Structures are given as C-alpha cells and as structure tokens.
Amino acid sequence: MTTTLASPARPVDRPAHRDPNVLRWLGAYASSAVGDNVYYIALSWAAVQSGTPAQAGLVTAASAVPRALLMLGGGVVADRYGPRRVVLGSTAARSALVLGAAVLLLVTSPGLWVLGAVAVLFGIVDAVFLPAAGALPARITSRDQLTRVQGMRGMATRLANVLGGPLGGLGVAVGGTAGAFGLAALLVGVSLPLLLGVRVGALPPDERQDRQPVLAELRDGLRHIRRDAVLRPLVIAAALSDLGFVGPMNLGLTVLAQQRGWGSAGMGWVLAGFGTGAAGAALLITWRGRIPRAAVVAAVTNLVAALAIAALAQVPSVAAAAGVAALIGVTAGLSGALCGALVQVRAGAAYLGRVMSVSTLVGFGVAPLTFPLVGGAVTLWGTGPVFAVCAGVSALAGVVVLGARPLRRAELP
C-alpha cells in the first residue's frame, strides 16, 4: 500500500504555471534571488578590496554562522506569524540593510569589521527569511501543484545564478561597490510589491495551534518530525545530501580547476554544465507536474548524482567535466525538487516553517562552515579522495530513503 501525502493548501482550479497568484510569488522570488547573488558579489568584492583573500573569505562566510545558530528559531517565527508576513518583513529588512551598506560605502571606506557586521546581520535576517520562504509555496497553491511549483522555483534559482554574476559585475563597473550594493537592494526591494499581491490560504481549523513559548513550539516541531515515519528519514536524507554536496561543488570545484589548469574560464564552463543540467531538471518537473514514485526516483537520482560527484575529480578535460557536471545538475536537481515537494506536502501547514528550518539547516547553515575542513582535506589527501568521501556522504541520503519503507512508498498527490 502506498502513502499519498496530503496538504491543506489553498485549492486552485488551474495549473501553477497559469495561476496569477503563483506567478506573482515566482516573480518576487526570482527578483529577490537575483538580488542575493548581486549582494554576495558586492560583499566579496568590497572585502577583497579591504583586506587579504583569507580575511575576505571570513567576511563572506560570516553569514553562515547566525543562519546555523538561529534558523530553527526562524522556523518558529514563520509558523507563529505566518510565512507571508514573515517573508514580507524579512525582505524589507534585507533590502534596507543592503541599502544601508551602499550608503556607507558611498560616504566612507568601511573596514573589514563593518563589512563583517553587515554579513552577520544579513545572516540573522536570513535565518528568519529562509524557513518562511520555504514554507510559503505550500500556502499559495494546491497540494497537487507543489511538485510543479518546486520546478518553477528551481528555474528561478538557475536564472538568478545566471543573471546575478553579470549584473553584480556591471554594478561594480558602473557604480563601484556602493553601486553594486544599491542594485542588490533595489532587486530585493522590487519583490515587495509582488509579495503584497500574493494571497495565502488560511490554516484549517483542526491544524490551528495555541501560541506557546518559543522553546516549547520548537520542541513541538522537532517532536512532529521525529514521530512522523516519512518526515524523519526525509529530513535526515536532506541533511546528508546537502552535507556531501556543498563542499565539492563549491570550494572543491575551485581547487579542482586550479589543479587541472582549467583556469577561471574552464571552471565557468563546468558551472555552466551544472546549471544547464539543473535547469533542465527544473523544466522537466514544471512540465510534468508530477513524478510517479517520487521518493524512489529522488533516491535513485541522488545515488547517480553522488557517483557523478566522485567521477568529477577523475576527469581530465574541461569538456568531460562539464558533461559530468551537467549530469550532476540533472540528477541532483530532480532529487532536490522531489524531496522538497515531499517535505512540504507531508509537514502540515501549522508546522511548515519549523520543518523547513530543520530540513534546510545543513544546506544553508552548517555545510558552508565545512569549507575550511574540505580545503584542509584536499591539501592533505588530494581532490580524488575528498570528492569520493563527500560523494559517499551524499549517497547515504538515497540509502536512507530506500531503507525507510513508509517514505519509499510515499506518493505525491
């Protein structure tokens, strides 16, 4: 017997890609994501101009610490006040913070401590924003459209990655770091009027909860995950996948390009291959709308992606690496989108923020903090063994999904 996951989201009578409410959300998400990419380029450029590469690395990684420490609390905030309200407030705060950094850079030359403070404050706001942003799609569409919405979100993410770099570079070239920060603030701010037009469904009466102390609500959310036979292994699988994926596909790829002599252009081609594959996966999910046996497909594609990550460290040429990266993009994109849809439809509307905060904690908060560990391991043992170990960690996610019978049999509606 299969398990069909349910969600109390607002019913609609049209596909998500033709629903004006979903399209307003998608426009807001895309604009905010492009702004985020421009902001990180501006921050890294300003940090490099103000200190050594190592110091710049510390500044750009500073956001991950408050995200890791505070994201679980951010999930409580999202459930307590509603994801739309929290996304609106945190988006306004992010835009104001980046705009303040632009003004500061315009009138003075701030040191690394000031840039680090901006990064930390951005991470604090992100700890509230990310769980709410992850919970919002399930409140704006029906449960049978959530897989398609995940595909649309994936396409917006790829678009943001493609546009963010050139726009960030253009902002720096035209207006300096202050201009780039200003552009980022504008792009994040543009999402606000779109978000104001997004309508969310009300919580069903049987899911509404009385307000409790923050720690009590957090413990309640963790118990909800622990007791659910589908959510528990699903959240563990998401953590393992992110933990094994982020290191090699970020810092590890940069080191690999240097060791192979590919240069920045070669690394760009590899990243383009990955982006093309991920965009293809997102387009497929958006077009299909539903993938049968979603959990099994997610597990198998995760295992293929893990094997491809290990193989990436062994290929000799840029062309071969770009092809392997495209395979990683397709398989990891499919696995991530399907797991995301499974989490959202299983969590229950009243717990969405807390569940999303736990399921994304490793990817956004913990995994970036492992970059120094990955870099040190590559120095000691080389890229091949490190990529293989990371791939093994990521592959455990697929093993967990296939080994948990209720999750393995779960179907998206």
Side-chain angles (χ1 to χ4, degrees):
M1 179 178 179
T2 59
T3 303
T4 301
L5 305 181
S7 170
R10 179 182 66 85
V12 295
D13 56 0
R14 67 185 78 186
H17 61 286
R18 296 178 183 173
D19 182 359
N21 196 50
V22 174
L23 293 178
R24 284 191 292 271
W25 161 81
L26 183 65
Y29 178 82
S31 179
S32 180
V34 174
D36 281 353
N37 277 269
V38 174
Y39 156 76
Y40 283 113
I41 289 172
L43 180 68
S44 61
W45 184 265
V48 168
Q49 296 294 99
S50 302
T52 66
Q55 291 171 330
L58 289 174
V59 169
T60 54
S63 294
V65 176
R67 276 202 302 263
L69 294 175
L70 301 175
M71 191 177 291
L72 295 181
V76 174
V77 173
D79 286 336
R80 175 175 287 194
Y81 298 105
R84 177 181 176 273
R85 186 183 302 176
V86 174
V87 167
L88 277 167
S90 54
T91 297
R94 292 159 81 237
S95 180
L97 176 63
V98 179
L99 183 61
V103 172
L104 194 63
L105 284 163
L106 195 61
V107 300
T108 184
S109 298
L112 286 170
W113 286 107
V114 176
L115 295 174
V118 170
V120 169
L121 289 173
F122 197 87
I124 291 172
V125 180
D126 252 3
V128 178
F129 170 79
L130 290 171
L136 188 56
R139 298 287 296 276
I140 63 173
T141 190
S142 58
R143 62 182 182 269
D144 62 320
Q145 293 298 312
L146 275 173
T147 307
R148 180 171 276 128
V149 168
Q150 288 295 106
M152 295 166 69
R153 184 177 181 176
M155 287 195 295
T157 300
R158 294 302 124 209
L159 177 67
N161 292 338
V162 170
L163 294 180
L167 285 176
L170 180 64
V172 171
V174 174
T177 49
F181 273 106
L183 177 60
L186 175 64
L187 288 166
V188 174
V190 163
S191 66
L192 285 170
L194 292 169
L195 286 169
L196 286 170
V198 173
R199 298 291 173 259
V200 299
L203 284 176
D206 59 341
E207 288 212 27
R208 294 172 189 169
Q209 298 179 338
D210 295 329
R211 188 170 296 180
Q212 305 175 58
V214 172
L215 288 179
E217 291 189 20
L218 177 57
R219 286 194 296 268
D220 186 35
L222 295 175
R223 279 195 300 269
H224 177 68
I225 295 172
R226 188 174 66 250
R227 293 172 178 173
D228 192 289
V230 171
L231 275 181
R232 183 178 63 252
L234 190 54
V235 167
I236 293 172
L240 289 169
S241 178
D242 287 338
L243 194 61
F245 177 87
V246 171
M249 294 306 295
N250 287 273
L251 178 64
L253 183 57
T254 303
V255 175
L256 185 65
Q258 290 177 338
Q259 291 183 349
R260 294 285 194 275
W262 296 340
S264 58
M267 188 177 71
W269 281 109
V270 177
L271 289 173
F274 173 80
T276 301
L283 182 61
L284 173 64
I285 291 175
T286 302
W287 170 62
R288 289 277 300 176
R290 179 180 181 272
I291 305 294
R293 304 200 68 185
V296 174
V297 173
V300 172
T301 51
N302 170 269
L303 292 171
V304 175
L307 289 173
I309 289 172
L312 185 61
Q314 306 300 326
V315 295
S317 67
V318 172
V324 173
L327 177 61
I328 296 172
V330 170
T331 51
L334 282 170
S335 179
L338 292 174
C339 285
L342 287 165
V343 167
Q344 289 197 350
V345 299
R346 182 71 184 194
Y351 290 96
L352 265 172
R354 282 164 286 182
V355 173
M356 292 304 301
S357 71
V358 175
S359 65
T360 58
L361 174 63
V362 171
F364 285 102
V366 177
L369 299 178
T370 66
F371 287 173
L373 179 62
V374 172
V378 167
T379 302
L380 290 173
W381 297 297
T383 51
V386 172
F387 271 59
V389 170
C390 290
V393 173
S394 186
L396 288 175
V399 175
V400 168
V401 173
L402 293 175
R405 184 176 181 182
L407 173 56
R408 187 175 69 246
R409 291 172 169 253
E411 289 280 5
L412 287 168

